[in-house]
Amino acid sequence: MANRLVVGTQWGDEGKGKIVDILRRDADWVVRFSGGANAGHTVKVDGQVFAMHLVPTGILGAQTQCLLGNGVVVDLPRLFDEITQIEAGGIDTSGRLHMAAAAHLVLPHHKLLEAHSENLQNGEKIGTTMRGIGPAYADKTARRGVRAADLLDPDRLRHRLEYVIGYWDSLSHGQLSTLGCTVDSTFDELMQYRDRVVPMLVDASLIMRQAMQSNKRILFEGAQGMLLDIDFGTYPFVTSSNTTAGGVFTGLGVPPRSIDEVVGIVKAYTTRVGNGPFPTEDTDTFGDHLREHGNEFGTTTGRPRRCGWLDLVALRYAVRVNGITHIAVTKLDVLDELDEIPICVRYHLDGQEMDDPPMDLARLDDVEPIYRTLPGWKSSTVGVTEYDDLPENARAYLTFMSDTLGVKLLIVSTGPGREETIMVGQGAGVVV
Ligand code: GDP
Ligand code: IMO
Ligand code: MG
């Protein structure tokens, strides 16, 4: 039995979707534990592109069972649109996608509230995906939220909506109802999905326990990344959930020992979409080169991603918080043409050199990255499938990274396609 967690180690978009699509072959279940439709996991299969937002990437495996845990916030219209698109791509999802009864729902008023807060422009505009994520988690923790299980009892559902929508409508002096967002409109929208949602509902913790007791292998599919975590990320420029390993336990109700191997997904350079500090950002020609060659535009919003160099200080932090045992390095091919490649090995702040990020992460705005520059390889790695076929300098780049972080290199990705992958090392007894 070996259960794997796949987590993003940077600011999201590391290529988790592609790697989950490879590792799902060793899993019976692929389950999401946090986030919602803010995620955008792109998978390219035989020229066909699937953009997964809410549905676990594992659905692409014909036999794989999938679950949205209680830690996920579910936008029902988006979920069913996504299912329609996946089915149009020739994937039969019936009977394979389950939803925790305790998962909270993203409601229309969450998107209105988010537009309001993002438009306040007080210098702290986060640059969110506008999927209602922050307000949905805020209602959840304030105990005003609506859960998937509320669809089981329409009277209770209406009662919950009267509370939460009444709360925000009165606080906004009737703005919600002026904008057409009422108890009735929300109730009617949710009830359209009731017949399809109810058969999907499960007790996430129980179904996970049953799976583990019958030796089924579980792949926990992380969304977002280390530095977007609500507790450990670059607050307030973060998402509203625990994107790191701890989120697995609260987001599914599985015990701490459920994870055998933690695979950190590391893009061979760094990107960030949205605002907030980014020490190794390159706003000059190299940043443009990475964006162009890496096609760095958001899967969910289409926004250009900010680009910069690999940051080993931030990655060391990701290894520490998540207990990362292995890394999968993606987009190595994007660096093919560079003469030399700087890697941030330490930060300089207030006259001191640091191996770890400052305790006050807001100070990331003030740190000076200290770079070590490695020579480029100046030849194509696109589609390489054997580690030994990589140019020597590319291998040196990968070794420098895994040695500094003290983790094993499990996978190297050399293109977006499934086959453009090097399986380097064996995981925890799992055939890869
Ligand atoms: P995720 O959110 O972590 O799943 O990552 P995204 O899907 O948002 O962004 C990663 C992008 O890079 C997607 O468009 C992938 O198809 C693409 N991609 C993944 N691995 C590679 C790779 O090794 N090389 C190249 N060139 N593209 C890749
Ligand atoms: P995947 O799973 C990259 C970013 C947003 C914004 C901040 C808050 O594809 O890696 P939110 O809508 O969550 O309230 O936005 O978090 N963000 C992501 N950036 N990849 C993601 O997901 C992201 N999900 C949220 O851009 O800066
Ligand atoms: Mg993404």
Side-chain angles (χ1 to χ4, degrees):
M1 196 271 291
N3 299 329
R4 276 190 173 126
L5 164 62
V6 165
V7 276
T9 57
Q10 296 152 322
W11 276 286
D13 301 329
E14 297 89 353
K16 297 177 291 294
K18 162 163 178 175
I19 302 301
V20 169
D21 180 54
I22 305 276
L23 295 178
R24 69 158 174 76
R25 287 180 267 167
D26 300 326
D28 302 291
W29 282 82
V30 176
V31 302
R32 279 273 305 268
F33 55 89
S34 70
N38 49 350
H41 299 175
T42 315
V43 180
K44 205 168 158 194
V45 188
D46 300 331
Q48 207 180 348
V49 175
F50 292 91
M52 322 297 288
H53 297 283
L54 264 164
V55 178
T57 302
I59 206 80
L60 301 178
Q63 308 298 325
T64 316
Q65 292 290 316
C66 294
L67 170 66
L68 299 173
N70 52 278
V72 175
V73 286
V74 184
D75 181 334
L76 293 178
R78 282 198 177 273
L79 175 66
F80 287 104
D81 277 356
E82 194 177 325
I83 291 173
T84 304
Q85 279 177 27
I86 294 167
E87 299 241 335
I91 307 289
D92 181 7
T93 67
S94 50
R96 295 198 291 123
L97 180 58
H98 312 272
M99 189 191 303
H104 279 247
L105 301 181
V106 177
L107 302 174
H109 76 269
H110 293 139
K111 293 172 198 164
L112 296 173
L113 291 172
E114 181 163 26
H116 178 67
S117 73
E118 281 290 275
N119 287 333
L120 280 180
Q121 299 275 15
N122 66 350
E124 297 233 314
K125 190 180 165 94
I126 292 162
T128 71
T129 60
M130 302 300 278
R131 295 292 186 266
I133 302 296
Y137 280 112
D139 272 347
K140 172 180 176 175
T141 43
R143 296 156 293 180
R144 282 188 299 265
V146 172
R147 312 212 279 184
D150 293 325
L151 284 169
L152 293 168
D153 179 347
D155 288 339
R156 187 175 78 198
L157 175 66
R158 183 175 278 280
H159 188 67
R160 296 293 309 159
L161 290 173
E162 278 165 1
Y163 173 41
V164 67
I165 295 177
Y167 175 88
W168 287 113
D169 203 37
S170 69
L171 210 64
S172 65
H173 303 287
Q175 283 295 303
L176 279 190
S177 30
T178 306
L179 291 167
C181 180
T182 61
V183 172
D184 281 344
S185 65
T186 308
F187 180 82
D188 291 347
E189 180 178 299
L190 293 178
M191 288 300 280
Q192 284 177 36
Y193 297 101
R194 182 173 187 267
D195 289 349
R196 286 204 273 172
V197 173
V198 168
M200 295 166 80
L201 296 182
V202 292
D203 176 335
S205 165
L206 184 62
I207 206 166
M208 287 288 89
R209 181 182 166 84
Q210 287 165 345
M212 287 186 234
Q213 279 182 332
S214 46
N215 291 324
K216 301 291 184 207
R217 298 155 306 168
I218 300 167
L219 192 161
F220 303 99
E221 176 176 349
Q224 289 80 48
M226 171 72 224
L227 294 157
L228 291 171
D229 184 281
I230 183 75
D231 285 288
F232 300 103
T234 49
Y235 193 90
F237 302 100
V238 293
T239 190
S240 297
S241 61
N242 282 119
T243 61
T244 46
V248 172
F249 312 116
T250 55
L252 286 158
V254 295
R257 291 198 184 164
S258 309
I259 304 174
D260 301 296
E261 187 175 291
V262 182
V263 183
I265 313 302
V266 183
K267 196 182 283 191
Y269 49 97
T270 312
T271 62
R272 170 164 210 173
V273 59
N275 298 326
F278 181 175
T280 61
E281 181 172 15
D282 188 301
T283 51
D284 215 333
T285 45
F286 283 122
D288 292 345
H289 179 96
L290 296 173
R291 187 174 312 105
E292 195 186 316
H293 286 73
N295 191 24
E296 294 296 355
F297 297 89
T299 307
T300 299
T301 58
R303 291 178 290 174
R305 295 173 181 151
R306 300 158 63 193
C307 296
W309 304 115
L310 197 71
D311 183 342
L312 287 175
V313 180
L315 287 174
R316 214 177 275 124
Y317 179 47
V319 169
R320 161 162 48 106
V321 172
N322 291 286
I324 290 170
T325 52
H326 296 72
I327 53 172
V329 178
T330 62
K331 303 192 107 165
L332 186 73
D333 53 296
V334 176
L335 304 179
D336 281 352
E337 290 174 19
L338 298 173
D339 293 326
E340 43 186 33
I341 308 168
I343 304 183
C344 170
V345 289
R346 236 172 273 118
Y347 292 156
H348 191 265
L349 180 70
D350 300 336
Q352 287 191 328
E353 289 196 8
M354 317 167 65
D355 287 330
D356 300 296
M359 115 188 137
D360 174 10
L361 281 189
R363 302 250 15 233
L364 281 185
D365 268 331
D366 307 321
V367 303
E368 273 297 314
I370 299 171
Y371 289 105
R372 163 127 178 224
T373 299
L374 297 193
W377 42 93
K378 304 280 285 173
S379 59
S380 175
T381 61
V382 176
V384 170
T385 54
E386 293 296 329
Y387 188 75
D388 291 341
D389 291 342
L390 286 176
E392 194 181 339
N393 286 351
R395 281 183 271 138
Y397 185 74
L398 295 165
T399 308
F400 183 70
M401 194 188 308
S402 53
D403 282 357
T404 310
L405 296 174
V407 293
K408 293 197 186 94
L409 183 62
L410 183 68
I411 295 177
V412 181
S413 171
T414 55
R418 233 181 223 175
E419 62 296 341
E420 295 171 305
T421 308
I422 302 171
M423 304 306 300
V424 184
Q426 300 284 312
V430 182
V431 180
V432 286

